[in-house]
Amino acid sequence: MKKLVELSNVNLNTSVDDVIQHLLQENKPVLISAPVSKNIWAVYERDIHKTHLIKYQTRDHVIQRKVSRERFKRSELFKFASLVENVEYLRLSNDDLIKLIRNGIVSLRFVSELYLNTESLELELMSGEQYIEKYETPINAKDLRINSQSDFYDYKYNIKFFFTRKSFKFLSNTHFIVNELEDLPTKIDSVYVFERDILSFVNQDFEREIDTPDIPETSPYYIKDFLSNKSDLDQLSILGFRYYWGKTSKQPKAKGLVELIINQLSYAPKKAEAAAFFLNPNPNGLCGKTKSIADGCQFPYLTYCLERYWHGQEFYDKKITFEIQEFLEGSEGEGFSSDNAKYAELILRPSKFPRGPKKRI
């Protein structure tokens, strides 16, 4: 299960506002814990009537629909609602996040998505429509006091999650849920986020356990799932992420990273220097020409070559090692230095294939 953290308890390298602003822009979830003092209901909410799309064939048909429409206008909300159980977290909408950033507090009238706790202990994201489809019998026209089922299908409606006091648990035929709804005050210091979505904003120690799945797709050190556990790139991506990603001041010197690579990966000095070059966000030396592959940190060139040349290969082929070096260094290639191209090929070569003599080079 993805790890959730309370944002106010995380040692950040920037402000909470900046982190939430980033998550808003990336459309990443920002959550609050389900309130213990309130019940949560899935409510059918009126949106618009779609009669303007329908061609009526008889006068009686027109009158029947007009009567149904007038009855429906008496209430903004359908009286039909369903109490929702096993809610763990509520997802804040973009509008609510904007207010939260601006004021530090927002009063939630409803949410459109929530996370349920399943038997497998995984969190299951649910929209209103998904919840009703999975857990409830579809509503009939008679529940809404509409004359016929065909009239009901002419209505477009939303299903949102609203709040009532904890003691309100039963909706009788004489009640409208709208009369029982309450707002939910939410402060900025009470929000939860998925840890992997904010790793670039966390002050990290080298000792912290990080695995490749923790590295977000927005990071240049990201490795696609089907490329992981294939080569040395996994270890290097973690080092690069720990060493550089999210650091906003006093960038560490490349020399320190070279020494770290030598000590942790047992690389020879020249190979470690090449590895450090591909990890450095602002490397000194000849970089690749294709900015769509990498602009700044050159590590994406390594993952690009692994996918392009080695993915799916069952046997070692010396021609591939030559093609990689030609792509990286050749006159028609990307323009890397001879040493960086040579050691890049060795670094990204899949572990199951030969790497030459085991002596340090």
Side-chain angles (χ1 to χ4, degrees):
M1 184 174 112
K2 295 179 182 178
K3 183 178 180 181
L4 277 170
V5 293
E6 192 168 11
L7 193 54
S8 60
N9 292 333
V10 178
N11 183 14
L12 300 171
N13 57 31
T14 186
S15 69
V16 171
D17 289 2
D18 288 344
V19 175
I20 295 179
Q21 183 68 47
H22 167 78
L23 296 174
L24 173 63
Q25 293 172 351
E26 297 294 325
N27 195 31
K28 298 294 185 180
V30 177
L31 317 176
I32 60 169
S33 182
V36 296
S37 60
K38 296 184 185 296
N39 278 332
I40 300 172
W41 296 75
V43 180
Y44 287 76
E45 184 189 42
R46 177 190 177 209
D47 189 358
I48 57 174
H49 192 275
K50 299 189 294 186
T51 54
H52 64 282
L53 300 177
I54 302 171
K55 295 181 180 179
Y56 302 134
Q57 296 180 350
T58 67
R59 183 173 180 275
D60 290 342
H61 195 185
V62 173
I63 294 173
Q64 182 182 13
R65 289 182 180 275
K66 184 177 180 181
V67 171
S68 297
R69 187 165 62 251
E70 290 302 317
R71 287 179 178 175
F72 182 72
K73 285 181 179 178
R74 294 171 188 170
S75 174
E76 284 296 309
L77 293 174
F78 294 139
K79 74 186 185 72
F80 189 84
S82 173
L83 184 63
V84 184
E85 304 285 355
N86 300 320
V87 181
E88 288 290 324
Y89 296 95
L90 314 175
R91 180 171 180 174
L92 304 186
S93 69
N94 289 353
D95 289 342
D96 290 328
L97 288 178
I98 292 172
K99 295 176 183 176
L100 196 63
I101 295 170
R102 184 187 304 131
N103 304 320
I105 189 171
V106 62
S107 188
L108 301 180
R109 297 191 60 192
F110 63 86
V111 294
S112 299
E113 294 179 308
L114 47 73
Y115 285 82
L116 299 180
N117 190 21
T118 63
E119 293 182 358
S120 63
L121 301 181
E122 292 288 333
L123 293 177
E124 184 178 17
L125 179 63
M126 282 278 169
S127 66
E129 289 76 9
Q130 290 171 324
Y131 176 82
I132 293 295
E133 181 178 349
K134 185 169 184 177
Y135 293 101
E136 295 294 328
T137 303
I139 188 173
N140 294 316
K142 63 181 182 180
D143 294 316
L144 305 177
R145 296 179 181 175
I146 297 174
N147 288 343
S148 68
Q149 193 70 19
S150 61
D151 280 332
F152 170 67
Y153 290 139
D154 291 337
Y155 286 91
K156 181 180 178 183
Y157 56 86
N158 296 318
I159 303 171
K160 296 177 181 177
F161 301 105
F162 289 81
F163 317 105
T164 69
R165 66 186 186 279
K166 195 69 174 180
S167 58
F168 182 76
K169 298 180 180 180
F170 177 72
L171 191 63
S172 70
N173 291 332
T174 59
H175 282 136
F176 282 94
I177 189 69
V178 67
N179 298 325
E180 305 293 340
L181 302 183
E182 296 185 351
D183 290 350
L184 176 62
T186 299
K187 295 182 179 180
I188 197 168
D189 60 2
S190 65
V191 301
Y192 289 79
V193 297
F194 287 105
E195 186 182 43
R196 69 172 299 174
D197 292 338
I198 63 162
L199 284 177
S200 60
F201 299 101
V202 178
N203 287 317
Q204 298 179 44
D205 298 325
F206 288 123
E207 300 303 318
R208 182 187 181 278
E209 289 297 325
I210 296 176
D211 200 358
T212 48
D214 294 324
I215 300 176
E217 294 183 28
T218 52
S219 170
Y221 307 108
Y222 172 75
I223 297 178
K224 298 176 182 177
D225 289 342
F226 65 85
L227 296 177
S228 62
N229 299 317
K230 304 289 186 184
S231 66
D232 286 0
L233 297 193
D234 294 75
Q235 293 172 300
L236 288 175
S237 69
I238 292 171
L239 284 180
F241 187 82
R242 285 175 172 170
Y243 211 71
Y244 290 116
W245 189 241
K247 301 293 190 298
T248 56
S249 62
K250 292 186 178 180
Q251 285 275 357
K253 294 181 180 179
K255 183 178 179 180
L257 181 56
V258 172
E259 294 174 353
L260 190 67
I261 292 171
I262 291 173
N263 293 332
Q264 293 198 10
L265 303 183
S266 298
Y267 279 11
K270 286 189 176 181
K271 187 177 179 181
E273 289 173 4
F277 166 84
F278 282 98
L279 295 180
N280 197 317
N282 298 295
N284 292 322
L286 298 172
C287 296
K289 300 174 183 176
T290 307
K291 303 303 181 185
S292 60
I293 296 178
D295 189 8
C297 175
Q298 300 295 292
F299 188 80
Y301 265 101
L302 301 183
T303 53
Y304 174 85
C305 288
L306 181 63
E307 180 176 0
R308 176 178 174 182
Y309 293 101
W310 283 121
H311 178 58
Q313 292 290 330
E314 295 297 327
F315 303 98
Y316 174 70
D317 188 344
K318 192 173 182 178
K319 291 181 181 179
I320 293 180
T321 64
F322 174 77
E323 289 175 359
I324 291 173
Q325 290 192 46
E326 279 291 297
F327 170 73
L328 294 175
E329 178 196 359
S331 59
E332 301 298 324
E334 291 296 312
F336 289 98
S337 70
S338 177
D339 277 352
N340 284 340
K342 170 185 174 181
Y343 291 112
E345 188 280 316
L346 285 174
I347 290 168
L348 65 87
R349 191 185 303 180
S351 306
K352 63 182 178 179
F353 297 144
R355 292 168 176 262
K358 292 186 178 181
K359 64 180 182 179
R360 285 161 62 99
I361 57 177

